Amino acid sequence: MTEDRDRFTEQLNAYLDGELDDQQRQAVEDRLTHDTDARAELNNLRERVRLIKNLPRESAPSDLLGNILTAAQTTDENVHRRTKPRSTLHTLRSITLVAAALALCVTVGLWSASLTERPNRRVAVSSIEPDIRNRAIETFESIQSEVAPSRPLAKSQPTQTAITAMDEVASNEPLSQSPQLAMAESESPPNSLAGAVFAAANEPNPATHVPTDASPQSAMLTIVSPDRNDADRCIRLARDFDTRRTAGYSGNLRTRYEFSDSSTARRAIENADSPNETHITISADHLEDLIRQLDRNPTRSVTLVANTSPANTQHEKLARRSRLHAKKLERSEARRNGRSVLHDADRKPNRAFSDHRALGLQTATPTTAAGIAPTDTPIQLTIRLIVDPESAAAPAMRPAPHESKSPE
Amino acid sequence: MVMQHKPAPERLEDETLVGRVQTGDAGAFESLVLRYQDRVYNVCYRFVGHAEDARDLTQEAFLKAYRSIHRFQRESGFYTWLFRIAMNAALTHRKKARLRLAGSLDANEADTIPAPPDRSPPTDADASVNHQRVANALAKLEADHRAVIVLRDIEGFDYEQIANILEIQRGTVKSRIHRARAAFREVWDRKELSNSTAHTGPRP
């Protein structure tokens, strides 16, 4: 009987909601005419539903629209890139990586400023068009003047350089060049997607850092641009992003430190707007830890870029393990799908990638070591270790926080 | 029979706007947000019971919709599609929140849900108290039950649309609504009883 009652109550609910067909509705109404319990039940139901329906409707907060539009703007490329031909897909994807890169760059810059014992200024610009370079530098300077008015960037005095090319083509040799050279000569390669700008200026004397200091002492900007229009877009994007980030973290060095560690880096990667790929720059000291975390929680393709020393055997081991890991994942995927999987290196006409197999185990060579891991789930772990000549001359790097373990 | 929850012209207008967003028209996206932000927010708010979380979820839903708008299938209707995204986000949010609360505050979670922001002058204090108690009773329900009640009784979706949003069968919607209302009644009656014995607050 209770089962029948239960079924009938279900019908009553549907009746109340106008979800019965004619025949079912008639059956319910017939029963209601002679079953007082059923009528009481219907009234009861009506009353409960009325209570819920009468709840006041809450309106969206007044600033929600603006927040949504701002956030959407920063991921605009996602929409555009899908409506553009394949040839520009990588270009646009790389633009979307800027946000993630900036988040890390800003704080890693801060972190390294306080960690190292020497003045640390970095400027590196790579572009096929002098115009774009100049504009990028101007933008950087304007941002710099906003965050550190007393310390304008002296672009003629860089002491350190790193160029991170954020697409598959733009990375060429100038990694170890002086910034001046990079700025002057990086108009090659002819097929390069226009520009990568990587710039940072840090507080010259880290000892003067006071944790309660309310004004940010440094900023770092990364811009990737495929052409002039996109360069403009990138610059606007970077400016917005930089402003927000700087505002969000100013006056709280502890927060910055947290943000520059590997866990926060991982979170930044996971929360990055780019759906498939993230490109970040991180301190070499945190690199291994971050890789380990990413291995535990693979989410997306990641390109890690870190300055390291040619003599750092730890990173050589890291590159080796990454390659082994890649092969293992590749084999398991091939087994599962009954087909073989190409390394990205086989597809991309990128000098750095195509060289990585030869150079991967030799971090002493001046350019790069990389491992690529195609996988069952989205992760494609790519490690690129970029030699920083200044680090090579500097005292030994701090040991990695944990004893090395294979990411496998 | 499938009931059209929204009038056809509005749906057509949605499709026009979506088409424009797909071609890169940011203004069209703004129109869509303006059109639906209150409803999405209200559903999220009634589901999670927390203004800040509801705000985050609403933002997340619109951003996800924006990013994947090229995958939007017109047959489902933008409105339904948007709510599917929002409910997915809200359900995921609840799971995470439960994990965080497991073993500690979970048992009392519903009692900690704050009152909604006071948007109207307290001309009817009894009604306001009553609303709070209804919201608390809703918060006591399992997430699946709360989801169908919010979608049906608060937002007014029909069963077909709810099935579409929650990606379940229409028959499942029907039985779930039945169980959800029964659960609500049980919680409500329990509250009524405790209220009357403790003499706290007016009876509804």
Side-chain angles (χ1 to χ4, degrees):
Chain A
M1 288 309 269
T2 53
E3 195 174 322
D4 171 63
R5 191 91 219 161
D6 200 48
R7 275 180 60 83
F8 181 69
T9 312
E10 183 175 317
Q11 290 296 88
L12 266 186
N13 274 291
Y15 174 77
L16 189 63
D17 292 331
E19 294 278 349
L20 294 181
D21 61 29
D22 291 348
Q23 196 182 353
Q24 292 168 323
R25 192 173 60 245
Q26 190 59 53
V28 169
E29 285 172 352
D30 286 348
R31 181 158 172 178
L32 285 171
T33 54
H34 60 77
D35 184 340
T36 49
D37 285 351
R39 285 200 298 277
E41 178 67 24
L42 180 63
N43 287 336
N44 217 319
L45 273 176
R46 273 209 183 98
E47 176 60 17
R48 306 299 169 211
V49 169
R50 190 189 58 78
L51 280 173
I52 297 168
K53 278 187 174 163
N54 282 350
L55 279 173
R57 294 190 71 85
E58 299 296 322
S59 300
S62 56
D63 59 345
L64 184 64
L65 173 68
N67 290 344
I68 291 170
L69 296 179
T70 305
Q73 195 182 358
T74 64
T75 58
D76 218 15
E77 293 77 12
N78 286 7
V79 174
H80 285 290
R81 77 171 186 209
R82 290 177 176 109
T83 61
K84 292 201 175 185
R86 165 79 181 164
S87 58
T88 58
L89 190 140
H90 285 290
T91 303
L92 290 164
R93 173 182 297 169
S94 61
I95 296 168
T96 68
L97 305 180
V98 168
L102 284 171
L104 271 295
C105 287
V106 169
T107 48
V108 169
L110 291 165
W111 175 83
S112 63
S114 61
L115 188 74
T116 53
E117 294 294 318
R118 55 193 154 73
N120 182 12
R121 279 182 189 278
R122 295 191 230 172
V123 180
V125 178
S126 170
S127 168
I128 56 172
E129 249 191 86
D131 226 307
I132 293 175
R133 287 202 309 268
N134 293 337
R135 212 158 1 162
I137 293 169
E138 279 165 20
T139 303
F140 174 72
E141 285 176 327
S142 78
I143 291 174
Q144 185 62 19
S145 67
E146 284 168 24
V147 298
S150 62
R151 300 183 187 283
L153 174 69
K155 65 184 167 197
S156 59
Q157 306 173 340
T159 59
Q160 191 178 38
T161 180
I163 292 179
T164 61
M166 295 194 174
D167 54 62
E168 75 273 31
V169 190
S171 92
N172 254 333
E173 289 78 346
L175 295 173
S176 57
Q177 289 176 346
S178 78
Q180 290 90 340
L181 279 177
M183 288 163 68
E185 294 177 14
S186 65
E187 293 180 33
S188 61
N191 290 328
S192 164
L193 301 169
V197 179
F198 174 96
N202 295 310
E203 170 61 43
N205 182 2
T208 64
H209 261 293
V210 181
T212 54
D213 187 347
S215 75
Q217 297 294 323
S218 64
M220 193 178 286
L221 170 67
T222 304
I223 293 176
V224 181
S225 74
D227 61 38
R228 195 167 179 147
N229 289 334
D230 278 333
D232 285 340
R233 235 150 72 105
C234 287
I235 287 166
R236 279 200 304 274
L237 177 71
R239 191 196 295 272
D240 290 342
F241 190 88
D242 188 79
T243 307
R244 276 209 308 279
R245 281 292 168 192
T246 305
Y249 289 96
S250 64
N252 188 344
L253 281 174
R254 195 169 63 81
T255 307
R256 290 176 191 147
Y257 288 137
E258 285 175 4
F259 194 73
S260 66
D261 70 16
S262 48
S263 296
T264 320
R266 175 176 57 78
R267 280 203 298 280
I269 290 168
E270 287 170 355
N271 293 328
D273 288 331
S274 166
N276 301 315
E277 204 174 329
T278 303
H279 185 117
I280 67 160
T281 300
I282 188 169
S283 150
D285 281 357
H286 291 298
L287 182 63
E288 184 171 356
D289 201 38
L290 176 59
I291 289 167
R292 199 176 293 125
Q293 293 196 34
L294 290 172
D295 267 349
R296 275 203 300 269
N297 188 18
T299 49
R300 59 179 70 215
S301 171
V302 178
T303 298
L304 302 174
V305 179
N307 296 329
T308 184
S309 151
N312 191 318
T313 55
Q314 194 126 24
H315 291 155
E316 184 183 318
K317 286 179 193 164
L318 196 62
R320 186 199 302 272
R321 281 202 304 277
S322 172
R323 283 166 52 73
L324 290 173
H325 186 52
K327 286 185 177 172
K328 187 179 171 188
L329 288 169
E330 186 181 36
R331 279 198 302 272
S332 74
E333 170 147 328
R335 264 201 309 276
R336 188 164 38 255
N337 296 337
R339 61 180 172 81
S340 43
V341 180
L342 287 178
H343 272 297
D344 268 11
D346 296 324
R347 292 199 294 265
K348 293 182 178 176
N350 178 339
R351 172 73 185 277
F353 283 129
S354 58
D355 278 352
H356 84 272
R357 289 183 167 172
L359 302 175
L361 304 182
Q362 303 172 42
T363 38
T365 44
T367 311
T368 173
I372 295 177
T375 138
D376 41 343
T377 43
I379 190 174
Q380 288 193 326
L381 183 63
T382 300
I383 305 170
R384 300 171 59 210
L385 303 176
I386 296 180
V387 172
D388 175 355
E390 193 159 306
S391 296
M397 302 182 73
R398 294 197 327 175
H402 306 288
E403 186 44 58
S404 311
K405 274 188 184 160
S406 168
E408 299 164 40
Chain B
M1 173 188 150
V2 179
M3 292 170 57
Q4 277 302 320
H5 176 68
K6 291 163 58 51
E10 200 172 339
R11 180 169 171 157
L12 276 178
E13 204 173 322
D14 279 357
E15 291 189 3
T16 308
L17 287 170
V18 168
R20 282 167 51 196
V21 177
Q22 284 170 334
T23 59
D25 182 345
F29 179 63
E30 182 173 352
S31 301
L32 285 170
V33 177
L34 272 172
R35 175 176 286 204
Y36 292 121
Q37 61 171 356
D38 284 347
R39 289 188 229 177
V40 174
Y41 176 82
N42 187 52
V43 160
C44 289
Y45 178 76
R46 291 301 174 198
F47 184 76
V48 298
H50 189 278
E52 273 304 304
D53 288 349
R55 171 206 189 92
D56 290 348
L57 287 169
T58 307
Q59 179 163 338
E60 183 184 339
F62 276 108
L63 283 178
K64 279 187 175 164
Y66 182 68
R67 286 176 196 145
S68 49
I69 203 152
H70 62 286
R71 292 201 298 265
F72 166 65
Q73 305 287 320
R74 284 172 195 278
E75 60 264 28
S76 67
F78 175 77
Y79 180 55
T80 314
W81 181 69
L82 177 65
F83 270 85
R84 187 190 305 161
I85 296 173
M87 287 309 294
N88 274 336
L91 286 163
T92 306
H93 170 86
R94 291 303 301 175
K95 279 180 197 159
K96 285 182 181 167
R98 290 194 76 81
L99 282 178
R100 276 201 305 273
L101 290 164
S104 55
L105 302 171
D106 207 22
N108 298 320
E109 178 189 355
D111 295 329
T112 65
I113 287 180
D118 203 1
R119 289 170 193 276
S120 55
T123 51
D124 189 345
D126 283 359
S128 175
V129 169
N130 212 26
H131 291 155
Q132 184 59 51
R133 286 167 55 200
V134 172
N136 284 344
L138 272 182
K140 290 270 190 193
L141 302 184
E142 289 175 19
D144 283 351
H145 289 166
R146 190 164 57 249
V148 289
I149 284 191
V150 166
L151 291 173
R152 170 65 215 158
D153 295 337
I154 292 181
E155 190 49 36
F157 282 111
D158 64 39
Y159 287 11
E160 195 69 37
Q161 289 170 315
I162 295 173
N164 201 326
I165 290 169
L166 297 177
E167 298 175 282
I168 54 180
Q169 297 293 316
R170 187 181 175 282
T172 311
V173 174
K174 187 179 169 190
S175 58
R176 197 175 285 178
I177 284 179
H178 160 54
R179 287 200 306 276
R181 284 178 179 156
F184 177 81
R185 178 182 180 172
E186 194 182 323
V187 173
W188 182 258
D189 287 349
R190 211 164 49 218
K191 275 180 153 331
E192 289 287 276
L193 187 65
S194 68
N195 281 331
S196 60
T197 52
H199 301 289
T200 55
R203 296 280 302 241

